[in-house]
């Protein structure tokens, strides 16, 4: 992890903490997820799944992962718009046209995953992120159906 600079904490859950980060020597910001090592089987499956999926506009881009003595570290695309859960908590109601656009993005992402023999492992608003640019929704968790890929 010495190749990365960690900035502020973006989110925290029972087993992980998400930081805004940057690879040293670049100006490209990423999300760096520090995951409890007890979650290694899940993380390994997640990495295997994302590694084999070609990039898609509605799926968070996986960059790389590391294992240290006490933690697992995932480096993924930074979605600076926050989660759908945070947006709904703040606004409570959204205009119909935004809801329609979000539904289309979710369906496009799910269709892409399913067409690649992958299912979403936990489809909830806290795992759907806004990219911060054009507010496209991106899925953060998925699971490979066929482990031979």
């Amino acid at each position: 992890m010495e190749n990365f600079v960690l900035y502020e904490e973006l989110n925290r859950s029972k087993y992980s903490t998400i930081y805004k980060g940057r690879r040293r020597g670049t100006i490209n910001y990423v999300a760096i997820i520090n995951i409890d090592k007890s979650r290694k089987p899940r993380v390994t499956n997640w990495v295997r799944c994302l590694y084999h999926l070609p990039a898609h506009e509605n799926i968070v881009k996986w960059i790389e992962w590391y294992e240290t003595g006490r933690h697992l570290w995932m480096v993924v695309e930074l979605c600076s718009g926050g989660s759908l859960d945070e947006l709904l908590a703040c606004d409570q109601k959204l205009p119909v046209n935004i809801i329609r656009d979000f539904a289309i993005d979710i369906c496009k992402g799910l269709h892409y995953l399913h067409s690649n023999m992958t299912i979403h492992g936990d489809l909830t608003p806290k795992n759907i992120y806004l990219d911060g640019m054009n507010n496209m929704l991106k899925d953060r968790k998925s699971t490979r159906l066929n482990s031979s890929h």
Side-chain angles (χ1 to χ4, degrees):
M1 285 304 300
E2 63 273 355
N3 294 331
F4 291 91
V5 177
L6 293 181
Y7 293 99
E8 72 265 15
E9 181 179 306
L10 300 175
N11 198 345
R12 180 180 291 269
S13 69
K14 184 175 180 179
Y15 297 106
S16 65
T17 304
I18 303 174
Y19 298 95
K20 180 179 179 180
R22 179 182 57 82
R23 181 184 294 279
R24 291 185 191 278
T26 73
I27 57 168
N28 297 326
Y29 291 91
V30 294
I32 300 175
I33 309 169
N34 176 345
I35 306 166
D36 187 277
K37 210 156 186 179
S38 68
R39 309 298 278 180
K40 187 173 181 176
R42 286 178 175 230
V43 172
T44 304
N45 188 49
W46 188 22
V47 167
R48 187 175 337 140
C49 171
L50 293 176
Y51 180 79
H52 292 288
L53 280 176
H56 186 272
E57 65 183 359
N58 297 109
I59 306 296
V60 172
K61 181 182 175 192
W62 175 80
I63 299 169
E64 56 192 287
W65 79 298
Y66 297 96
E67 182 174 352
T68 60
R70 296 175 57 192
H71 299 282
L72 302 170
W73 299 87
M74 293 277 299
V75 181
V76 298
E77 171 186 9
L78 177 64
C79 296
S80 60
S83 72
L84 181 57
D85 189 46
E86 294 165 342
L87 177 70
L88 293 172
C90 184
D91 287 10
Q92 295 182 4
K93 289 185 178 183
L94 297 171
V96 172
N97 62 322
I98 291 175
I99 294 170
R100 183 194 66 239
D101 291 345
F102 284 177
I104 290 169
D105 285 347
I106 292 169
C107 289
K108 286 188 331 189
L110 287 172
H111 180 268
Y112 174 76
L113 290 173
H114 293 174
S115 67
N116 282 280
M117 296 299 294
T118 304
I119 60 171
H120 194 284
D122 188 12
L123 188 61
T124 62
K126 70 179 179 166
N127 291 325
I128 297 174
Y129 284 79
L130 287 81
D131 70 1
M133 304 282 225
N134 56 8
N135 295 326
M136 183 174 297
L137 292 180
K138 295 187 174 252
D139 155 48
R140 192 172 72 86
K141 288 188 177 180
S142 51
T143 305
R144 173 75 63 186
L145 281 177
N146 183 346
S147 60
S148 66
H149 290 276

